Amino acid sequence: MASTVAEIAVATLKASGVQRVYGIPGDSLNGFTDALRRAGGIAWEHVRHEEAAAFAAAAEAALTGELAVCAASCGPGNLHLINGLYDANRSRVPVLAIASHIPGDEIGSEYFQETHPQNLFQECSVYCELVGEPEQMPRVLEIAMRTALARGGVGVVVVPGDVFFADVPSGAKAVPIRPAPSVIRPDDASLATAAQVLNSAHRVTILAGAGCAGAHQQLIDIAGALQAPVLHAFRGKEFVEYDNRFDVGMTGLIGFSSGYRAMEHCDALLMLGTDFPYRPFYPRGVPVIQVDVRGEQIGRRVPVDVPLVGTVRDTVDALLPLITAKTDSAHLDRMTAHYRRARARLDRLAESRRARSPLHPQYLAATVGKLAAEDAIFTVDVGTPCIWAARYLRMNGIRRLVGSFNHGSMANALPQAIGAQASQPGRQVVTLSGDGGVAMLLGELITLRQLHLPVKVVVFNNGALSFVELEMKAAGIVTYGTDLDNPDFAGIARAVGLFGARVEKAGELDAVLRAAFAHDGPALVDVHTDRHELSLPPKLTYGEIKGFTLYATRTILSGDGDELIDLAKSNLRDLEVE
Ligand SMILES: Cc1ncc(C[n+]2csc(CCOP(=O)(O)OP(=O)(O)O)c2C)c(N)n1
Ligand SMILES: [Mg+2]
């Protein structure tokens, strides 16, 4: 019997091990959803906003390394996918988006809901094609899937609604499309050059990123051979920080001073699988060796003397035998000692003052980290939750951390938790959400209910777009447009059918979080946190200090002096000068 385009598409997904598709149906997608229903075996994960479908698929792909799928109907339906697809593509995780389209014979007539998906998705995909003829299937789908897997990113298949129902040529077969494992390393001459640089340096520092996934042992081995402190970019945290005596923390705008120091004081920098973007944080005038599996990434952030194209795992395996083990650990010792001092200071900031209200966000993050399961998956919103997660969530090699690390979109944590929980049903999934972030895709609380996903949503409710306020302060701008007049999020959660509780005082937090984590279903804990918590970057530039002074002066002039007093009350007792 002949198959339709939709049937062969679903058969290809099934043969490739796809277990679920996130999305919202619509007229033009009906052929596909109907084929999915008839075939069985692939779950339809019904979200409330297509952006959430794309974020959920991105999170699933980040956690599993396998292809995850989302789908949306024509025009506005698939337009809503775009922000989540940008996130997936920029994180280089394999996602397939099935974007249905208006009827093929109407294209170009400004038909109802008409857009041009191949143009729209161009920038957020590694492959994007229109299936105008049934004969293109399943080949175009296979290419999209393979490209998403091989290049890491989004493959988009645009299918006019009527084409889904058309027959494909007889004999068309569903071929499984799976990741193809490989060994990728630089040539011997490049490795020898890198070894020469590293062997003649005295103070090597390693900057490690998400490319260290699956290469923890290699990272520890090379750090040991080089007696090198290891700092990480945020996305590398879950792969780098645990069981790592070379760890000196994170650098960057939301990092802290020890990570910055380790870069500043090195006489050679080894970058392992990182695209850390902030150029002012890189050292100047020292040789840089960069390992990245994508050659085109090398040298984008800092001039690179020795480019090494390969995976961290395979490259370090090949490089290590060429390294003369260093015996002088002075650089490592200095940097790790500095880190221990910085860490102790940060940990003090996270201590509870029992009756304190509003709560210190540090205390909240540290308590979430302490009470969460040993194999918990955390998703963290862009905004100050990122800062607190970076500083206070302890990773252990099993726990996972998902964020919008490269795209930096708000409202990522809740939809990513949907993908995390749907694909990892046995594990605890906890969001660190902003009040701005959770409100932005608030409807996804209903998805937790509908899909019976026992996600624990923890809201850092500071009544503001606090991260933006920090940016404004650092730029010398009076804070404006950042107030959030919030409803009772816990009440909303209860109305939706979730466990919902509000925490006003530090002393209440432990018990409420424990109850939420123990609850057999989705839960939201709305925590009143301090709006004026300062989180200074490890390196304050002259411009930022000037900016801060300017902000203070302007705030007083604009009659908002109370805000400064709150700020001082929240922060000055914690201020320490090195
Ligand atoms: C979609 C989107 N819109 C705007 C921004 C700019 N932005 C970055 S952080 C932030 C504030 C986030 O507020 P909230 O979720 O309340 O977290 P907070 O920083 O207050 O803890 C904003 C508006 C963004 N990154 N993404
Ligand atoms: Mg906020």
Side-chain angles (χ1 to χ4, degrees):
M1 207 179 77
S3 311
T4 64
V5 163
E7 284 165 351
I8 196 80
V10 170
T12 303
L13 298 181
K14 267 183 94 165
S16 308
V18 170
Q19 294 178 32
R20 60 193 65 78
V21 177
Y22 305 90
I24 296 182
D27 181 25
S28 53
L29 195 63
N30 284 348
F32 177 75
T33 43
D34 186 54
L36 209 60
R37 177 188 63 79
R38 283 185 284 113
I42 295 182
W44 177 250
E45 308 287 359
H46 188 156
V47 297
R48 298 300 176 118
H49 189 302
E50 291 87 349
E51 181 172 334
F55 267 121
E60 175 177 333
L63 292 168
T64 63
E66 299 199 6
L67 188 83
V69 185
C70 57
S73 60
C74 70
N78 61 48
L79 263 181
H80 268 186
L81 290 174
I82 279 193
N83 194 44
L85 291 184
Y86 262 89
D87 185 76
N89 203 51
R90 300 195 65 184
S91 295
R92 302 195 180 88
V93 294
V95 165
L96 171 73
I98 296 179
S100 66
H101 199 11
I102 59 166
D105 62 352
E106 297 291 355
I107 293 176
S109 71
E110 293 198 23
Y111 186 68
F112 176 62
Q113 296 186 323
E114 181 167 2
T115 61
H116 292 89
Q118 304 101 285
N119 299 345
L120 289 168
F121 292 111
Q122 203 63 50
E123 200 185 296
C124 60
S125 64
V126 290
Y127 182 86
C128 178
E129 283 298 339
L130 171 73
V131 176
E133 300 294 327
E135 288 74 15
Q136 289 171 274
M137 282 294 246
R139 198 155 61 104
V140 164
L141 176 64
E142 289 167 10
I143 298 171
M145 294 168 71
R146 223 186 276 281
T147 310
L149 282 165
R151 289 196 42 205
V154 174
V156 184
V157 178
V158 180
V159 187
D162 53 311
V163 174
F164 274 125
F165 293 100
D167 285 342
V168 290
S170 61
K173 263 184 56 192
V175 177
I177 309 293
R178 294 277 197 178
S182 53
V183 172
I184 306 176
R185 71 164 184 87
D187 70 355
D188 293 342
S190 307
L191 291 169
T193 310
Q196 208 174 32
V197 172
L198 293 169
N199 287 337
S200 52
H202 301 285
R203 299 185 309 279
V204 179
T205 289
I206 295 175
L207 172 61
C212 292
H216 193 258
Q217 194 56 52
Q218 282 78 1
L219 173 66
I220 300 297
D221 290 347
I222 196 158
L226 295 168
Q227 293 293 298
V230 176
L231 66 140
H232 56 268
F234 191 16
R235 195 175 166 202
K237 178 181 166 79
E238 60 169 332
F239 308 115
V240 172
E241 187 185 71
Y242 70 98
D243 294 344
N244 183 352
R245 69 182 180 87
F246 307 96
D247 178 31
V248 293
M250 202 175 88
T251 188
L253 295 170
I254 63 174
F256 41 98
S257 53
S258 50
Y260 176 69
R261 275 287 170 83
M263 282 244 260
E264 197 188 28
H265 287 278
C266 71
D267 68 355
L269 178 70
L270 174 59
M271 295 170 65
L272 296 178
T274 174
D275 189 26
F276 174 70
Y278 301 108
R279 290 187 290 153
F281 289 84
Y282 281 94
R284 290 200 195 127
V286 302
V288 177
I289 299 165
Q290 183 175 2
V291 178
D292 203 297
V293 73
R294 292 171 308 276
E296 73 272 18
Q297 287 303 119
I298 292 178
R300 289 192 179 204
R301 314 298 172 194
V302 63
V304 166
D305 301 84
V306 188
L308 295 180
V309 179
T311 64
V312 173
R313 188 189 175 93
D314 301 331
T315 304
V316 172
D317 276 345
L319 180 62
L320 253 181
L322 309 180
I323 301 290
T324 314
K326 295 193 191 302
T327 49
D328 179 1
S329 62
H331 175 54
L332 174 66
D333 297 341
R334 265 185 76 198
M335 295 306 143
T336 48
H338 189 279
Y339 174 58
R340 278 194 297 277
R341 288 196 300 276
R343 184 71 259 168
R345 269 203 304 278
L346 285 173
D347 289 343
R348 276 202 299 281
L349 293 182
E351 283 163 14
S352 111
R353 280 129 189 98
R354 290 206 60 74
R356 194 188 160 96
S357 177
L359 278 77
H360 266 308
Q362 280 99 324
Y363 174 59
L364 173 55
T367 310
V368 168
K370 187 181 80 188
L371 297 181
E374 281 301 287
D375 66 345
I377 298 166
F378 301 99
T379 64
V380 44
D381 257 345
V382 164
T384 65
C386 271
I387 306 177
W388 317 131
R391 295 181 179 178
Y392 294 106
L393 288 184
R394 297 284 168 90
M395 294 290 116
N396 56 12
I398 304 164
R399 284 180 165 185
R400 299 294 312 267
L401 181 64
V402 182
S404 181
F405 298 117
N406 298 58
H407 188 44
S409 172
M410 272 174 80
N412 57 296
L414 177 54
Q416 285 174 333
I418 290 170
Q421 191 75 81
S423 61
Q424 318 284 314
R427 289 174 75 167
Q428 184 184 64
V429 178
V430 183
T431 80
L432 278 68
S433 297
D435 46 350
V438 82
M440 201 174 256
L441 283 175
L442 193 65
E444 296 311 313
L445 291 177
I446 307 171
T447 302
L448 299 185
R449 168 208 173 102
Q450 177 158 345
L451 298 181
H452 306 290
L453 299 172
V455 169
K456 315 304 175 196
V457 179
V458 178
V459 183
F460 286 65
N461 189 346
N462 50 24
L465 303 172
S466 174
F467 194 83
V468 178
E469 292 190 335
L470 279 173
E471 291 169 333
M472 289 173 169
K473 285 166 190 168
I477 295 168
V478 175
T479 53
Y480 177 72
T482 50
D483 281 348
L484 296 175
D485 179 7
N486 286 323
D488 173 6
F489 286 118
I492 289 178
R494 287 193 294 272
V496 167
L498 275 55
F499 170 107
R502 164 98 172 158
V503 175
E504 296 279 354
K505 294 202 171 90
E508 303 160 0
L509 181 66
D510 219 82
V512 174
L513 275 182
R514 281 179 200 275
F517 287 176
H519 178 69
D520 183 21
L524 181 147
V525 179
D526 180 17
V527 186
H528 184 197
T529 52
D530 195 340
R531 172 175 184 168
H532 297 293
E533 195 78 15
L534 262 189
S535 53
L536 297 178
K539 179 193 181 194
L540 270 182
T541 61
Y542 174 67
E544 281 161 339
I545 293 170
K546 210 172 86 183
F548 208 82
T549 319
L550 251 174
Y551 149 77
T553 317
R554 286 186 188 152
T555 300
I556 291 168
L557 288 179
S558 71
D560 237 350
D562 282 358
E563 180 178 325
L564 275 187
I565 293 167
D566 286 346
L567 196 84
K569 270 203 237 152
S570 300
N571 297 283
L572 290 188
R573 61 170 181 76
D574 297 325
L575 213 66
E576 275 184 49
V577 182
E578 301 212 305

